[in-house]
């Protein structure tokens, strides 16, 4: 998982879901350590936070208010799809990449995952022992 926050654009959020729903979404987002806010003085909004927390927020909204916040759920899912690699723990990602391409070099693996040489060697060793 990555420790960097990601930002997902939510154009015309209030026009799509309404002001009261946007206020409720903002308070729910804070519960998941995400920040739902307007972009300067425009009508566009954005949500910023860790990818895993945004995913949890999206699942909560999807389960509690699927009809009223359908636009928000759709935009979050689209945005999280681009950051899929940040939703997967580093060890699982390394294992998956090595399994898909067993001939990958350590340098290629390090470049793809931003891992250290020791992490990639350990993942390679663990994958060979299975």
């Amino acid at each position: 998982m990555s420790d960097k926050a990601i930002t997902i654009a939510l154009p015309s959020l209030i026009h799509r879901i309404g002001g009261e729903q946007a206020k409720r979404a903002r308070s729910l987002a804070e519960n998941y350590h995400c920040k739902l806010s307007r972009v300067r003085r425009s009508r566009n909004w954005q949500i910023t936070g860790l990818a895993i927390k945004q995913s949890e927020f999206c699942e909560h909204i999807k389960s509690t208010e699927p009809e009223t916040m359908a636009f928000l759920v759709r935009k979050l899912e689209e945005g999280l799809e681009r950051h899929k690699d940040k939703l997967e723990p580093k060890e699982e990602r390394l294992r998956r990449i090595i399994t898909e391409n067993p001939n990958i070099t350590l340098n290629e693996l390090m470049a793809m995952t931003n891992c250290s040489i020791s992490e990639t060697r350990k993942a390679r060793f663990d994958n060979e022992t299975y």
Side-chain angles (χ1 to χ4, degrees):
M1 283 182 293
S2 177
D3 293 341
K4 292 186 178 182
I6 62 169
T7 301
I8 298 175
L10 304 167
S12 304
L13 180 69
I14 289 185
H15 297 291
R16 309 275 179 147
I17 67 173
E20 289 301 315
Q21 297 292 346
K23 287 178 188 176
R24 187 167 41 243
R26 179 184 278 180
S27 67
L28 284 172
E30 289 175 3
N31 294 340
Y32 290 93
H33 307 288
C34 297
K35 183 179 178 187
L36 182 64
S37 60
R38 278 179 57 180
V39 179
R40 294 179 292 285
R41 296 176 59 189
S42 71
R43 65 181 182 176
N44 298 322
W45 287 62
Q46 66 185 10
I47 185 166
T48 305
L50 296 177
I52 192 75
K53 293 294 184 181
Q54 288 189 26
S55 177
E56 292 171 5
F57 172 62
C58 181
E59 291 301 318
H60 176 76
I61 289 176
K62 198 186 310 184
S63 66
T64 58
E65 304 178 40
E67 299 87 25
T68 57
M69 296 205 194
F71 172 76
L72 181 59
V73 169
R74 184 171 43 92
K75 284 296 186 181
L76 284 171
E77 287 176 344
E78 289 172 5
L80 289 170
E81 186 66 31
R82 290 189 301 261
H83 297 283
K84 196 181 227 179
D85 60 324
K86 294 180 177 118
L87 296 172
E88 183 177 38
K90 193 181 288 189
E91 295 82 17
E92 289 180 21
R93 185 168 183 224
L94 285 167
R95 187 177 312 124
R96 179 181 51 82
I97 292 171
I98 291 171
T99 303
E100 290 172 356
N101 186 3
N103 295 327
I104 191 168
T105 65
L106 290 177
N107 285 334
E108 291 172 337
L109 196 56
M110 287 172 36
M112 286 177 72
T113 60
N114 294 327
C115 294
S116 66
I117 186 80
S118 62
E119 290 172 321
T120 55
R121 283 182 179 161
K122 183 180 180 319
R124 170 74 52 94
F125 177 76
D126 291 343
N127 194 43
E128 289 175 358
T129 58
Y130 283 119

